[in-house]
Amino acid sequence: MIIDADCHLSTSRSERPHITADALVALMDRAGVDRALLWQQPQYDGETDPGNRAVHEAVLAFPDRLVGIGWVNPRLGHEQAVATIGRCFEEYGFQGIKFNGAQDRYVIDEPWVLDLVARAAEYGKPIAFHIGADAPDATHPCRLGRIAAALPETQFL
């Protein structure tokens, strides 16, 4: 089985490339990909709810092909982030949640972020992090190592 572990779903036609669930599954078929972990392509205003809802709808349309992963932006505030985590797992049934400090502009192992990661970890599902050269200070692999040490029972992607 071939699984693509980093697919994004667009919610705005102005995004390039604009990828819908139908288009993604067609691309997967051409490439011989059986399943894909799917999260949103968030808007740069930081809002995550429309994208998470779109991922949920895509998973409902293609349950045997797409695995829904939620997206939380800690910079929207603690209460909103906690509500988003709950909605992603309890309402949408997502199989994990993603934190992206590069795009949403935060350091992934700051205590206020770690508190939210710990809240998400309570659901017992994997937590994905963007780790990359586009924001090496905020998303360095050593920072994820510190998070993993603080939450040793949690699975990370």
Side-chain angles (χ1 to χ4, degrees):
M1 176 177 285
I2 297 174
I3 301 172
D4 187 329
D6 189 7
C7 291
H8 294 265
L9 183 72
S10 303
T11 57
S12 169
R13 294 202 179 276
S14 64
E15 293 171 1
R16 296 289 177 244
H18 176 69
I19 302 293
T20 64
D22 291 327
L24 175 60
V25 171
L27 288 170
M28 290 167 60
D29 288 342
R30 281 199 310 245
V33 173
D34 300 299
R35 298 198 76 183
L37 301 186
L38 180 65
W39 39 65
Q40 64 179 285
Q41 178 62 50
Q43 300 297 302
Y44 281 91
D45 62 6
E47 181 58 43
T48 60
D49 287 341
N52 284 331
R53 188 171 33 261
V55 168
H56 174 63
E57 291 167 1
V59 171
L60 291 176
F62 298 98
D64 295 333
R65 304 297 300 280
L66 304 175
V67 177
I69 308 291
W71 188 293
V72 63
N73 181 352
R75 290 184 52 105
L76 297 178
H78 187 269
E79 286 184 29
Q80 184 169 344
V82 168
T84 297
I85 291 166
R87 190 169 30 263
C88 285
F89 289 126
E90 296 169 19
E91 183 178 336
Y92 297 150
F94 286 155
Q95 296 304 305
I97 203 154
K98 182 173 183 174
F99 289 81
N100 187 330
Q103 180 165 331
D104 295 328
R105 299 178 312 279
Y106 59 87
V107 177
I108 63 173
D109 64 341
E110 289 286 333
W112 63 278
V113 177
L114 185 56
D115 177 64
L116 294 168
V117 175
R119 291 278 187 119
E122 292 174 3
Y123 287 89
K125 305 278 178 108
I127 299 174
F129 279 91
H130 173 84
I131 303 295
D134 52 345
D137 292 336
T139 66
H140 194 279
C142 290
R143 294 189 182 281
L144 181 54
R146 286 188 208 108
I147 295 168
L151 301 166
E153 301 299 316
T154 304
Q155 295 178 354
F156 294 100
L157 172 65

